[in-house]
Amino acid sequence: MSSRTAGQVIKCKAAVAWEAGKPLVIEEVEVAPPQKMEVRIKILYTSLCRTDVYFWEAKAQDSVFPRILGHEAAGIVESVGEGVTELAAGDHVLPVFTGECRECAHCKSEESNMCSLLRINTERGVMISDQKSRFSINGKPIYHFLGTSTFSEYTVLHVGCVAKINPEAPLDKVCVLSCLGATLNVAKPFKGSSVAIFGLGAVGLGAAEGARLAGASRVICVDLNPARFEEAKKFGLTEFVNPKDYDKPIQEVIAEMTDGGVDRSVECTGNVNAMISAFECVHDGWGVAVVVGIHHKDAVFKTHPLNFLNERTLKGTFFGNYKARSDLPSVVEMYMKKELEVEKFITHTVTFAEINKAFELMLKGEGLRCVVRME
């Protein structure tokens, strides 16, 4: 299948963040054709993740403007650049904010997904090949975000950041898996184990779902917002702890509840104190705490060295250790086989013109994922 627009500049609508914290503006942008090892995608559905909000607010993280945000989406390949052989116009794809070049030491390692070429870079606003943006308005560049920039009807990505998926998969549902899908793989509990999840946003609930699928016998949910507990019950979660209800550190509460601590904990808030609690609430001898949340740029993690000597393990995870192109299609297949229920994560849907409403919902803490319909 060839594209009528291949090799040409496409004019389309995009939601541009002109400055920190100000509502996005729907503008007509020009999207240049894909260059060597690049792919141009028509985005059909995108959704808002808290990471987009962090870099839009630019309070806890540095950011560049003007910029087209967005990294959780689904679409169809419009055209491919020179050297791209595994994708063609018409393929159904998920853009991914961390890539897989398949040639570096990380990509060749079974242990790592931290691709040397395409790992996440929050500050880079241009394409790797020529250090230029593919977006412009009246000849002035508009910067990329996470190499994806899905808040645009068309976007350009490096081929290593594009996962080809089953064309039968409904794009309005699986769009959330391009980011959220990786949360299923973060806890990695053994069968029958106990798990504590800190933060019950979409990422935390994804981690809880992954723990359930892996056979965890007990999942303890920790959040400061009791309203989140009601949403979590839809996921079959039944054990909730609010640190505000206790006059001692929550790690001590969890240790008492579990006869010494949980086997695994997952921190999904980005709050450094929650990270410390998540680490200190795991059982000595074998407990593993996994940090997922994005921290404040000035955050410092403090704990007593004895916690490490007593054989507790603290680790980070990046995109659930999934390799973007190799592993994400199998998560979509889990959904297609009804092993994974995506619908319960999608609590709101808006049109592209209403994209700022998605930000308002996120800022109010309402719902989990808001899907934006591009057409």
Side-chain angles (χ1 to χ4, degrees):
M1 177 181 171
S2 61
S3 164
R4 287 182 297 107
T5 45
Q8 300 173 28
V9 171
I10 289 178
K11 288 187 176 180
C12 70
K13 290 194 177 94
V16 178
W18 287 102
E19 54 184 304
K22 294 290 172 69
L24 306 190
V25 181
I26 304 289
E27 305 276 12
E28 184 178 81
V29 299
E30 294 191 337
V31 185
Q35 301 303 301
K36 187 175 181 180
M37 300 308 287
E38 293 176 0
V39 181
R40 188 161 59 184
I41 297 170
K42 179 179 174 65
I43 298 293
L44 295 181
Y45 298 93
T46 186
S47 55
L48 182 66
C49 168
R50 185 158 288 281
T51 303
D52 298 305
V53 176
Y54 277 138
F55 287 93
W56 167 72
E57 288 180 316
K59 291 176 185 171
Q61 302 289 343
D62 295 323
S63 198
V64 294
F65 296 96
R67 199 170 207 182
I68 297 173
L69 298 165
H71 66 279
E72 194 173 82
I76 297 174
V77 173
E78 174 272 335
S79 61
V80 301
E82 178 193 342
V84 177
T85 55
E86 65 265 51
L87 290 170
D91 284 345
H92 288 215
V93 293
L94 300 182
V96 191
F97 64 85
T98 181
E100 181 187 357
C101 73
R102 293 183 170 160
E103 292 174 4
C104 70
H106 285 277
C107 286
K108 288 178 178 176
S109 162
E110 290 184 7
E111 308 255 323
S112 175
N113 67 340
M114 301 286 287
C115 176
S116 299
L117 180 67
L118 300 170
R119 73 173 59 179
I120 189 171
N121 183 325
T122 59
E123 294 174 13
R124 186 174 61 234
V126 293
M127 299 301 288
I128 289 173
S129 62
D130 59 3
Q131 302 299 301
K132 292 179 181 175
S133 173
R134 300 288 173 261
F135 299 108
S136 62
I137 295 179
N138 299 325
K140 293 183 178 174
I142 306 295
Y143 295 110
H144 293 251
F145 175 63
L146 300 186
T148 51
S149 291
T150 62
F151 293 169
S152 174
E153 291 175 327
Y154 287 86
T155 187
V156 177
L157 292 88
H158 189 283
V159 66
C161 295
V162 182
K164 182 178 175 179
I165 63 165
N166 184 340
E168 300 295 317
L171 298 181
D172 61 328
K173 304 294 189 294
V174 299
C175 60
V176 300
L177 293 176
S178 70
C179 171
L180 199 55
T183 63
L184 299 168
N185 206 39
V186 297
K188 295 184 180 171
F190 51 88
K191 200 162 178 134
S193 59
S194 58
V195 181
I197 306 286
F198 285 74
L200 291 179
V203 172
L205 289 171
E209 186 80 348
R212 184 186 64 76
L213 290 170
S217 63
R218 189 176 183 188
V219 180
I220 300 169
C221 305
V222 184
D223 203 295
L224 294 169
N225 180 359
R228 288 262 173 91
F229 300 155
E230 289 307 308
E231 194 77 55
K233 286 175 185 174
K234 297 174 190 171
F235 288 72
L237 299 167
T238 57
E239 207 165 354
F240 306 106
V241 180
N242 186 338
K244 290 179 182 173
D245 295 340
Y246 300 89
D247 55 7
K248 58 176 139 183
I250 198 64
Q251 50 267 51
E252 291 180 22
V253 174
I254 292 172
E256 287 172 9
M257 290 169 65
T258 54
D259 194 22
V262 288
D263 302 310
R264 297 284 184 272
S265 71
V266 185
E267 188 288 318
C268 306
T269 70
N271 180 296
V272 72
N273 293 318
M275 293 178 188
I276 293 165
S277 297
F279 175 52
E280 294 181 356
C281 82
V282 298
H283 207 292
D284 58 1
W286 63 78
V288 179
V290 185
V291 173
V292 180
I294 297 177
H295 55 277
H296 190 284
K297 60 186 176 183
D298 300 323
V300 178
F301 186 102
K302 293 179 180 177
T303 191
H304 198 284
L306 192 61
N307 288 319
F308 292 101
L309 289 172
N310 284 340
E311 301 201 1
R312 291 179 180 87
T313 301
L314 174 67
K315 58 178 286 190
T317 188
F318 188 69
F319 198 59
N321 204 232
Y322 280 147
K323 293 180 189 286
R325 291 198 276 178
S326 301
D327 296 330
L328 210 48
S330 63
V331 180
V332 172
E333 290 309 310
M334 284 174 67
Y335 168 76
M336 296 299 284
K337 292 174 189 169
K338 296 190 165 47
E339 294 168 11
L340 173 64
E341 196 183 332
V342 172
E343 286 82 355
K344 58 190 174 186
F345 287 97
I346 302 169
T347 51
H348 298 84
T349 303
V350 297
T351 64
F352 192 29
E354 300 171 314
I355 191 166
N356 287 304
K357 187 178 176 185
F359 279 75
E360 290 166 18
L361 289 165
M362 181 75 77
L363 290 169
K364 287 179 192 168
E366 290 181 20
L368 297 173
R369 277 294 188 266
C370 180
V371 170
V372 180
R373 224 174 32 249
M374 302 300 283
E375 294 183 321

